[in-house]
Amino acid sequence: MRPFKLASLLLALLALSFAAQARKPYVEIERKLSAQQLQEVGLSAEQLAKLNRMLREADEGAPGSAEAVAAADAGNADNAGPQVGAGAPRERSPGAGQFIGLNDEPIKSRLKHDVSGWEPGTVFELENGQQWKVLKGRMSLKKPMLKPEIVVVPGVAGRWFLQVDEDMPKARVYRID
């Protein structure tokens, strides 16, 4: 999903919550979107919970609730645990939580297997024990690469990309283990 589509989707959901005149109970985003749509958005469980909390508070008309949550998150940035898909726990810079996905470091490892290409559904097993599944992207190599070194790089909004070689297109992936 493109960034502007994600922003449009989130704004539409927010607008719907404000537009509801009758006080209906808040319905979590997970119940409004399909599993595939949630996967395309690429939010971690922590990010999804935070978004649901903010939308629920906005729906209930709590004044300044979004600002209060953002201020609390900025104050707790040092105590926050690693995000889904992140490597080993590490120190976080002050205010790093302001930009979702931009505070994660690339993960460098080697594949446990040879690779001759990928397509949606392909699973990459890393020597560090992580498993990443291709969500988007397709590539067929002229000759297989033998257990290549790879880098899994973070993108915006919790997205991750697997890079086999810097001169090749990256595969959009998500961590499954």
Side-chain angles (χ1 to χ4, degrees):
M1 181 176 280
R2 294 185 179 152
F4 67 88
K5 284 186 179 179
L6 172 61
S8 297
L9 174 66
L10 292 176
L11 286 174
L13 288 172
L14 192 58
L16 285 174
S17 69
F18 284 124
Q21 296 299 324
R23 293 285 181 201
K24 298 178 203 171
Y26 177 76
V27 178
E28 281 80 15
I29 292 174
E30 299 89 332
R31 295 177 186 245
K32 294 180 181 180
L33 302 176
S34 71
Q36 181 179 1
Q37 288 172 318
L38 283 170
Q39 198 172 42
E40 287 178 9
V41 171
L43 295 177
S44 70
E46 177 185 337
Q47 293 163 340
L48 197 55
K50 186 184 300 181
L51 181 59
N52 272 320
R53 184 175 63 245
M54 293 173 85
L55 289 174
R56 183 181 300 107
E57 289 173 358
D59 192 41
E60 293 169 357
S65 58
E67 292 84 2
V69 171
D73 287 341
N76 293 329
D78 293 331
N79 298 330
Q83 293 184 351
V84 173
R90 61 192 170 275
E91 269 188 41
R92 293 171 58 146
S93 59
Q98 293 176 355
F99 303 104
I100 297 170
L102 294 180
N103 57 340
D104 293 313
E105 299 292 325
I107 299 167
K108 296 179 182 180
S109 188
R110 181 179 292 278
L111 292 180
K112 284 185 175 180
H113 52 83
D114 299 343
V115 63
S116 57
W118 56 86
E119 61 186 19
T122 302
V123 175
F124 290 100
E125 294 184 57
L126 282 54
E127 285 184 345
N128 67 8
Q130 296 178 355
Q131 292 183 346
W132 294 80
K133 191 171 189 176
V134 176
L135 179 64
K136 288 186 178 181
R138 189 177 307 270
M139 183 75 176
S140 184
L141 305 176
K142 291 183 180 183
K143 64 179 192 173
M145 296 178 77
L146 307 177
K147 298 183 181 179
E149 288 188 14
I150 58 93
V151 180
V152 184
V153 295
V156 177
R159 293 182 172 140
W160 289 87
F161 299 89
L162 188 130
Q163 177 178 306
V164 176
D165 183 282
E166 63 183 30
D167 294 329
M168 287 188 213
K170 298 176 186 86
R172 179 155 168 221
V173 294
Y174 61 98
R175 187 169 171 188
I176 57 175
D177 184 37

